[in-house]
Amino acid sequence: MQFIRSLGLVLLASMVIVGCQPNNNKKNVDNKGETKESSQAKKEDEIGFPNWGYDFQHTRHVPYKQITKDNVKKMGIAWQQDILDWNKDVPNLQEDFPVVHDGVMYVTSAKNHVFAIDAASGKKLWTWTPPKDVLDHINGLPWQSNVASRGVAVANGNVFVLMIDNRLAKLDAKNGKLLKMVNFWDHEPSIKLENRYYESTAPMYYDGNVYVGSSGGDNGTRGFVWAFKADTLEPLWKEPFWTVPERGTGWAKGKYTGGGSVWTPMSFDPDTDMMYFAVGNPAPDFYDADRKGKNPYTDSITALDSKTGKFKWSSGQVDHDIWDYDAAATPMILNAKVGGKKQKVVVEGGKNGKWYAWDAKTGKTIYDGVPFVKIQHSSVPSDESKAVLQWPGTPGGESYAPQTYDPETNYVLIPGINSPNLMVAAKDAKEIAKDNNTFPGTKILPLPKDVDVSGTITAIDMNTGKKVYQKKTDDPMYGGFTSTAAGLAFYGELGGNVNALDIKTGKVLWSMQSGGKQIKMAPSIYTVDGHEYVAVITGGTKVVVYGLGGKLKPGAINKKAKLQGEADVVINPEKVYKRSCISCHGENLQGATAPNLQHIGKTMSKEEILNQILNGGDRMPAGLAKGAEAEALADWLSKQK
């Protein structure tokens, strides 16, 4: 499911559509300790970036108009900050989606450090480091110690953040003080890191409650969503909503079956209090002997009553998945023109490379699988010599990268990953057991050198469900879009560029380097004192913020990373690799649960490789090699061309 296995894989509308969109500030909170949303909160929604996807519907469409098609070329870097300057032990912020409240930006890193930053200047306001016992617990099981943390939820003066090891913490937004923390296993004993569960998603605050999803489905865990009261952090529902049967029941027959993670935030409709979320793949990934037939609710969009957790509807994208084709991206809830009439719909693009739209109330399919990348797949063999290219590969299609919706054009923009995999299934259950139930049944071979790996930007007309245009991008689209009322969509690329696209025509009007690479999040766009800003995370640990008239030049990668640790003895780099890297990258650098490194010297410099080794990135832990060992390993890898 998760991006680790391959390439390293919406609107408080403009004022025209607000009358049709649900009121995002509608509140009827009666929970003790919580208050109804005030006019100040409404004001904040008009200037900040208050939720993971801007509004509760996750349309990632902001009402700001200061940056226009005419003046966008005047944009430059207003401020930039490398978080390593503040805490050299932070692994990375690679997939964080910053939120902005009352002029304060909140970002979170792997291992769940939280930073509050003045959104106009980049000045540090406070930082929060998880308690030692939490970090010790995470570090004690390093197989998932540095997974991404995709953001926080901020509401009523509190910051909510999920811990990797299945806890929910509430901080004081003013000073970062820990107010309360709850352990999931205290309420559901099976949900713990030792059972291969972990958390990588951003929590969502809605109407007095905090909603969370699960990660770890590829490890055979049982996926879930759950709701907690924001004031006490006590469960709102008696138990989680489970997305797959308990192991040994229903279709989940085998020892290692499970899946159905919910690893991106859920969307909410304040008109109905319904919630919608994407459900990941069944496990084992490619080996399916113990999960024959349909595997609901995996690879689906599912809807619940957010107050009770009661099931409403579910629509699957792949009935029986053997390719790791999660529904991964957060669905959007839209009031859009469909077939000439306004209709409330839910839309999402799957890792299977197809885009869908459903009636929000009933789940009736409106647009059934519009392809947006190359699709060509077959059964997955257990014999490596018989492996053939499967399109899309495990990253998608569309991975977690979010779409955006522009009400003016009635277009949805889809970020696509046009890349295959050579997949190999396990031969039998014994082979799965050898993997210690970590990504069981999964093996990916290196790609042929002549394979064209790229990305796509696809505009869909909601009225017809047809493509208006599609642009090819050099890099797969792992970041996603945020659009504005001025008709622009901003996005970042793996190569480090940040771009502004004319939504109507698909033309790129502005592009600028960020001073880093591997942008794997969608920009956050906000205003402070009437000035509009566009923020991205780049180079793993750098926050770069653009605005009109920005004068700063892109900064270099933080070279202080070289000072982290020293090895007493210099060991042959191949031995360092075999000790620290082989389990994920393969015996011959061919890739396994992590990227192929056989030609890494063509795409990354020694300095970039060293920075990755020291600081981590994506799902890669930091510090697997240090000092002279890291230097030697980086030099050796840089020569792999």
Side-chain angles (χ1 to χ4, degrees), residues 2-9 52 60 92-98 148-151 200 263-264 395 399-402 415 417 475-481 491-498 514 516-524 535-542 594-595 604 612 616-620:
Q2 303 284 41
F3 171 73
I4 183 173
R5 289 195 310 276
S6 68
L7 197 69
L9 137 106
W52 186 89
R60 299 198 73 85
N92 67 84
L93 315 173
Q94 195 91 3
E95 296 174 18
D96 176 69
F97 289 70
S149 178
R150 295 194 175 95
S200 62
W263 50 292
T264 54
S399 188
Y400 63 84
I417 300 171
D475 295 326
M477 292 290 291
Y478 281 103
F481 301 104
Y491 64 97
E493 297 182 276
L494 296 182
N497 278 352
V498 180
S514 61
K517 293 187 177 181
Q518 304 290 305
I519 300 175
K520 296 181 179 176
M521 46 75 70
S524 297
V536 299
I537 307 293
T538 187
T541 58
K542 295 172 65 175
M604 294 180 70
Q612 186 94 346
D618 298 325
R619 309 294 191 273
M620 177 178 167

Side-chain angles (χ1 to χ4, degrees), residues 476-490:
M477 292 290 291
Y478 281 103
F481 301 104
T482 305
S483 59
T484 76
L488 296 170
F490 289 88

Side-chain angles (χ1 to χ4, degrees), residues 355-389:
W355 177 88
Y356 303 81
W358 304 269
D359 180 273
K361 182 178 181 181
T362 66
K364 180 180 178 181
T365 301
I366 299 170
Y367 300 130
D368 189 12
V370 180
F372 57 90
V373 295
K374 181 177 179 178
I375 299 173
Q376 182 178 311
H377 54 247
S378 59
S379 60
V380 178
S382 58
D383 185 341
E384 292 187 14
S385 67
K386 296 180 181 179
V388 296
L389 292 176

Side-chain angles (χ1 to χ4, degrees), residues 10-13 24 44-64 482 525:
V10 123
L11 129 6
L12 181 66
N24 290 341
E44 166 55 33
D45 285 355
E46 295 171 352
I47 63 171
F49 201 89
N51 294 301
W52 186 89
Y54 181 70
D55 47 26
F56 292 123
Q57 298 91 336
H58 290 308
T59 61
R60 299 198 73 85
H61 183 86
V62 300
Y64 315 135
T482 305
I525 304 177

Side-chain angles (χ1 to χ4, degrees), residues 563-627:
L563 303 177
Q564 293 184 18
E566 288 186 19
D568 295 329
V569 180
V570 177
I571 303 176
N572 182 295
E574 295 186 44
K575 292 184 178 180
V576 178
Y577 175 86
K578 289 179 179 179
R579 184 196 68 205
S580 303
C581 316
I582 193 172
S583 62
C584 291
H585 292 284
E587 184 175 0
N588 298 313
L589 289 81
Q590 78 275 14
T593 58
N596 179 343
L597 301 180
Q598 290 175 330
H599 310 290
I600 190 173
K602 288 185 177 181
T603 57
M604 294 180 70
S605 67
K606 175 184 173 181
E607 183 180 63
E608 289 170 331
I609 296 171
L610 179 61
N611 182 68
Q612 186 94 346
I613 293 169
L614 293 172
N615 298 308
D618 298 325
R619 309 294 191 273
M620 177 178 167
L624 292 178
K626 297 181 179 180

Side-chain angles (χ1 to χ4, degrees), residues 82-91 113 115 127 129 564:
D82 195 317
I83 300 301
L84 286 178
D85 293 341
W86 295 342
N87 186 338
K88 65 180 179 63
D89 295 323
V90 170
H113 298 258
F115 299 84
T127 65
T129 298
Q564 293 184 18

Side-chain angles (χ1 to χ4, degrees), residues 58-78:
H58 290 308
T59 61
R60 299 198 73 85
H61 183 86
V62 300
Y64 315 135
K65 297 181 178 180
Q66 184 186 68
I67 300 172
T68 68
K69 296 176 185 179
D70 293 329
N71 65 19
V72 67
K73 290 184 178 180
K74 297 179 181 179
M75 284 184 65
I77 296 176

